[in-house]
């Protein structure tokens, strides 16, 4: 018998949902190969909730996700906005999880999986360099495009991504309309190789949390 898995996501903005939906689903589809029996990963449910203090925001999202959509695992995205995720976990993620577990009872989604890119979501978009070049439509070298550091070592990956687009299109000025960064989130999220993302410590932390969630649900059994 095939079991279905319903996953929800709360993100910081529209582009984060576009990028992360497929990343989350594909990650769980890979993990499902190690699960007991057949597991069908359904489309990720985007949870929209009014902003509040972060713990309250996550608590309300976990309640809505469970009661209205039957969400079994809630992915919670927030950027680190720094070279380390320590402060985000200490000040936002852990207090939010504690509130859900201590105050939610059985009426909330109690399994929370954090997604905390270093320094922001766009660092993940830079992980698959070949895909990025394909989506932009350039064969220029990474050095010419201005990518000389590892994605998680770039202080402002969103601005770096814009610089890469400008550098790629400078060579073709007047021949085609310059790409808007907003056009990249969906296709890169759908196509980025997970093995490329695994070079990022923040993605590996997400993947491990995703795996732990399946263990808690007894979908995945540790020998």
């Amino acid at each position: 018998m095939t079991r279905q898995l319903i996953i929800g996501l709360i993100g910081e903005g529209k582009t984060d949902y576009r990028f992360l939906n497929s990343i989350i689903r594909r990650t769980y589809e890979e993990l499902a190969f190690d699960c007991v029996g057949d597991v069908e990963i359904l489309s990720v449910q985007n949870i929209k909730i009014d902003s509040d203090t972060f713990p309250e925001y996550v608590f309300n999202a976990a309640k809505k996700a469970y009661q209205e959509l039957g969400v079994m695992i809630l992915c919670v995205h927030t950027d680190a906005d720094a070279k380390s995720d320590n402060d985000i976990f200490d000040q936002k993620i852990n207090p939010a999880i504690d509130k859900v577990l201590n105050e939610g009872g059985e009426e909330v989604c109690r399994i929370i999986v954090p997604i905390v890119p270093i320094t922001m979501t766009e660092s993940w978009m830079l992980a698959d360099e070949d895909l990025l070049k394909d989506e932009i439509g350039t064969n220029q070298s990474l050095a010419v495009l201005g990518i000389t550091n590892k994605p998680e070592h770039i202080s402002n990956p969103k601005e770096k991504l814009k610089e890469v687009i400008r550098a790629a299109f400078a060579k073709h000025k007047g021949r085609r309309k310059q790409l808007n960064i907003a056009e990249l989130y969906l296709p890169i999220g759908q196509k980025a190789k997970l093995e490329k993302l695994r070079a990022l410590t923040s993605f590996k932390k997400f993947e491990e949390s995703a795996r732990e969630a399946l263990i808690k649900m007894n979908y995945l059994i540790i020998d």
Side-chain angles (χ1 to χ4, degrees), residues 129-177:
E129 302 96 337
D130 292 335
L131 172 62
L132 177 61
K133 289 167 62 175
D134 286 344
E135 290 300 321
I136 293 175
T138 183
N139 58 6
Q140 297 180 68
S141 69
L142 297 181
V144 169
L145 292 173
I147 302 177
T148 55
N149 292 327
K150 295 180 179 179
E152 290 181 317
H153 294 170
I154 298 172
S155 60
N156 191 334
K158 186 172 185 177
E159 186 56 37
K160 174 59 65 177
L161 195 51
K162 292 179 180 179
E163 291 175 7
V164 167
I165 293 171
R166 288 194 292 268
F169 277 78
K171 184 177 180 180
H172 305 285
K173 189 174 182 180
R175 294 177 57 186
R176 57 192 175 114
K177 182 181 177 182

Side-chain angles (χ1 to χ4, degrees), residues 107-149:
E107 298 303 315
V108 300
C109 176
R110 296 176 59 81
I111 299 183
I112 307 297
V113 172
I115 302 177
V116 185
I118 305 289
T119 55
M120 57 185 73
T121 301
E122 286 76 14
S123 66
W124 287 21
M125 295 174 67
L126 293 167
D128 192 335
E129 302 96 337
D130 292 335
L131 172 62
L132 177 61
K133 289 167 62 175
D134 286 344
E135 290 300 321
I136 293 175
T138 183
N139 58 6
Q140 297 180 68
S141 69
L142 297 181
V144 169
L145 292 173
I147 302 177
T148 55
N149 292 327

Side-chain angles (χ1 to χ4, degrees), residues 35-211:
C35 288
V36 177
D38 295 328
V39 178
E40 179 185 6
I41 311 299
L42 302 183
S43 296
V44 175
Q45 301 295 308
N46 293 334
I47 312 300
K48 304 296 178 64
I49 202 83
D50 292 336
S51 60
D52 205 323
T53 63
F54 195 79
E56 195 71 27
Y57 166 69
V58 173
F59 180 86
N60 290 335
K63 184 176 180 180
K64 178 178 181 178
Y66 179 80
Q67 295 183 2
E68 297 183 15
L69 298 167
V71 167
M72 304 154 74
I73 295 173
L74 180 62
C75 293
V76 176
H77 160 254
T78 183
D79 288 339
D81 292 325
K83 294 181 179 180
S84 169
D85 61 12
N86 291 338
D87 287 345
I88 291 295
F89 273 85
D90 289 344
Q91 299 170 16
K92 296 175 72 172
I93 295 294
N94 292 336
I97 292 175
D98 288 343
K99 183 175 180 66
V100 169
L101 296 180
N102 294 329
E103 301 179 27
E106 300 301 322
E107 298 303 315
V108 300
C109 176
R110 296 176 59 81
I111 299 183
I112 307 297
V113 172
I115 302 177
V116 185
I118 305 289
T119 55
M120 57 185 73
T121 301
E122 286 76 14
S123 66
W124 287 21
M125 295 174 67
L126 293 167
D128 192 335
E129 302 96 337
D130 292 335
L131 172 62
L132 177 61
K133 289 167 62 175
D134 286 344
E135 290 300 321
I136 293 175
T138 183
N139 58 6
Q140 297 180 68
S141 69
L142 297 181
V144 169
L145 292 173
I147 302 177
T148 55
N149 292 327
K150 295 180 179 179
E152 290 181 317
H153 294 170
I154 298 172
S155 60
N156 191 334
K158 186 172 185 177
E159 186 56 37
K160 174 59 65 177
L161 195 51
K162 292 179 180 179
E163 291 175 7
V164 167
I165 293 171
R166 288 194 292 268
F169 277 78
K171 184 177 180 180
H172 305 285
K173 189 174 182 180
R175 294 177 57 186
R176 57 192 175 114
K177 182 181 177 182
Q178 181 166 313
L179 190 71
N180 188 301
I181 187 175
E183 299 174 63
L184 292 176
Y185 290 87
L186 182 62
I188 292 180
Q190 291 174 333
K191 302 174 188 176
K193 293 182 176 63
L194 296 186
E195 57 264 34
K196 293 285 187 178
L197 287 166
R198 290 188 184 106
L200 308 179
T201 57
S202 54
F203 177 81
K204 287 191 292 187
K205 184 174 286 190
F206 155 65
E207 189 175 41
E208 182 57 33
S209 294
R211 184 174 182 273

